[in-house]
């Protein structure tokens, strides 16, 4: 950044104590995995939308890149700045408004955590169904920027489905605000929908109007061990057909459960070649319905069912602890891919990805887990040198050959930018680039992310 001028201007807008430089920026220039590292000129923490707009205008005037950062829980380097950029932290935009009990909506600041939104919804007798393991740190803005998925996509869809409107600052500092909560509003382009999944490249989301769903009282969770990946995947359709409502359908494997058990100091409740976590709701007695449905499945070798909160959370932790457990293994951060294939191709993908990693990196270890109901697997590989991309490319090529997606829910960020062309056509990438150039002609919003 040139001399003191823009930094002084930024201090004039947000106050000197909210412009961090030097060592104070350390936590903002490296991602959660520690694999993606950058540098920045400063971290700026505006208090409201007007300050965000002023910050963006100053940066546009000085041609300084703006990298918006929420909870910094992303896994693809999408919020890691390049040298010279400023990090625009949404931490202070964290208010959560009251729930409108007629529409079942609330307005939240971009910096509010997912957990805070869930809490407000719950206190008012509603529920915000977007949920993921990083809920205490991940923010509304970050989940919109990445169109986050998580545990309940199989029933409630991704974040975009719950965003009724947004307020955002565009690259020239102008503010678009559409927070009235109209569910039906076909007046031109859906700018909120466009910002969902745009990874900070088209605008800075400052607030969002979010739609809630009814709270649920009776919930049952089962951890079901299957004799093969084929029978585990085969159970997915049957469970969805036979249970009143399925809230989550997750998949883990024996080696992952054993590794999580070592960290937790506990023995996995079930073990088997493929283990599915099912969360069921609805009907008069979800626990009985779930038990009955599991009893009808092929290939079940063991099952544990829970319907009280404590035991349900105990079962969930065997799934939720995978990311943290894997992060502790190996001397360097894991390589992470986040892929979807058609659920019919999932068993084939599991067999072939094991072959690919064994062939290209026999010394490495492969960890698979994910959201089986969505055909989404997280492919983690430990024991690889950080800069060796051979396995990442081979897995992405395998996904492309099965007509899948190289990013199911984490986004493209810096990590997958060079792979985008594997599953998006040239015409699609040209269209994305045109949108980017139209909304951010100077290219100051999160450069180096998403668009190849
Ligand atoms: C999950 O489903 C997250 O737990 C993280 O999407 C996945 O660590 C990962 O690779
Ligand atoms: Zn996930």
């Amino acid at each position: 950044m040139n001399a003191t001028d823009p930094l002084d201007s930024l201090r004039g807008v947000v106050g000197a104590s909210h412009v961090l430089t030097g060592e104070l920026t350390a936590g903002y220039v490296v991602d959660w995995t520690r694999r993606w590292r950058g540098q920045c000129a400063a971290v700026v923490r505006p208090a409201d939308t007007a300050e965000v707009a002023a910050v963006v205008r100053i940066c546009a005037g000085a041609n300084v890149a703006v990298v918006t950062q929420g909870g910094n829980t992303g896994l693809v380097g999408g919020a890691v700045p390049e040298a010279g950029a400023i990090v625009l932290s949404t931490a202070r935009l964290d208010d959560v408004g009251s729930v409108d009990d007629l529409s079942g909506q609330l307005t939240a600041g971009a910096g509010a955590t997912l957990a805070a939104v869930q809490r407000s919804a719950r206190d008012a007798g509603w529920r915000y169904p977007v949920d993921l393991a990083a809920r205490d740190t991940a923010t509304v803005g970050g989940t919109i920027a990445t169109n986050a998925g998580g545990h309940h996509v199989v029933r409630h869809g991704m974040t975009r489905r719950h965003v009724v409107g947004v307020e955002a600052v565009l690259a020239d500092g102008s503010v678009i605000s559409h927070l009235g909560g109209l569910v039906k509003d076909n007046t031109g382009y859906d700018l909120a929908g466009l910002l969902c999944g745009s990874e900070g490249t088209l605008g800075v989301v400052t607030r969002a109007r979010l739609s809630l769903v009814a709270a649920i009282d009776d919930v049952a969770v089962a951890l079901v061990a299957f004799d093969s990946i084929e029978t585990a995947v085969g159970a997915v359709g049957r469970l969805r057909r036979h249970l009143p409502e399925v809230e989550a359908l997750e998949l883990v494997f024996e080696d992952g459960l054993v590794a999580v058990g070592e960290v937790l100091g506990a023995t996995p409740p079930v073990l088997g070649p493929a283990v599915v976590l099912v969360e069921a709701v609805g009907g008069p007695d979800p626990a009985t319905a779930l038990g009955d449905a599991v009893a009808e499945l092929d290939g079940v070798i063991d099952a544990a069912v829970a319907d009280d909160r404590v035991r349900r959370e105990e079962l969930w932790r065997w799934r939720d602890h995978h990311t943290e457990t894997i992060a502790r293994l190996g001397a360097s951060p894991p390589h992470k891919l986040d892929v979807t294939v058609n659920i019919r191709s999932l068993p084939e993908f599991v067999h072939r990805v094991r072959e690919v990693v064994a062939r290209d990196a026999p010394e490495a270890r492969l960890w698979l887990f994910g959201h089986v109901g969505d055909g989404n697997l997280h492919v983690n590989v430990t024991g690889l040198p950080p800069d060796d991309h051979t396995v990442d490319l081979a897995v992405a090529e395998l996904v492309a050959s099965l007509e899948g997606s190289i990013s199911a829910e984490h986004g493209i960020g810096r990590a997958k930018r060079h792979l985008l062309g594997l599953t998006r056509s040239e015409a699609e990438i040209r269209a994305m680039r045109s949108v980017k150039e139209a909304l951010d002609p100077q290219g100051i919003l999160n450069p180096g992310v998403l668009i190849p």
Side-chain angles (χ1 to χ4, degrees), residues 163-164 178 181-193:
V163 177
V164 185
H178 217 72
L182 297 182
V183 176
K184 303 183 89 169
D185 184 6
N186 275 347
T187 50
Y189 298 141
D190 175 8
L191 298 177

Side-chain angles (χ1 to χ4, degrees), residues 75 319 323 336 369 371 378 380 409-410:
L75 298 172
R319 161 65 180 89
T323 298
K336 283 181 177 284
F369 60 101
H371 315 281
H378 299 306
N380 283 221
E409 55 173 9
H410 296 168

Side-chain angles (χ1 to χ4, degrees), residues 345-363:
S345 306
L346 204 82
E348 179 183 354
F349 175 76
V350 167
H351 295 304
R352 287 179 61 189
V353 76
R354 285 179 173 148
E355 285 163 20
V356 162
V357 175
R359 180 197 67 204
D360 287 355
E363 71 293 355

Side-chain angles (χ1 to χ4, degrees), residues 145-286:
T146 55
N147 186 28
H151 297 332
H152 301 308
V153 173
V154 73
R155 180 167 181 219
H156 298 287
M158 313 269 283
T159 298
R160 185 182 281 115
R161 194 193 282 181
H162 305 281
V163 177
V164 185
V166 294
E167 178 184 81
V169 174
L170 302 181
D172 61 358
S174 57
V175 177
I176 55 170
S177 187
H178 217 72
L179 297 172
L182 297 182
V183 176
K184 303 183 89 169
D185 184 6
N186 275 347
T187 50
Y189 298 141
D190 175 8
L191 298 177
L194 180 64
L195 286 166
C196 288
S198 64
E199 303 191 26
T201 64
L202 300 181
V204 181
V205 173
T206 50
R207 291 196 290 164
R209 186 79 179 161
L210 303 172
S211 66
L212 311 174
V213 297
I216 40 176
D217 294 328
D218 291 337
V219 184
V221 174
L223 211 49
V224 188
F226 290 87
D227 59 6
S228 70
I229 181 63
E230 282 77 10
T231 51
V233 169
V236 164
R238 291 177 66 177
L239 287 166
R240 292 181 69 183
R241 217 154 13 98
H242 291 301
L243 289 165
E245 293 288 357
V246 172
E247 278 280 326
L249 269 168
E250 304 282 306
L251 178 67
V252 293
F253 291 88
E254 191 151 79
D255 50 359
L257 288 173
V258 170
V260 169
E262 277 161 19
V263 171
L264 295 178
T267 310
V270 300
L271 279 174
V275 175
V276 172
L277 182 148
V278 197
E279 186 171 276
V281 298
D285 179 2

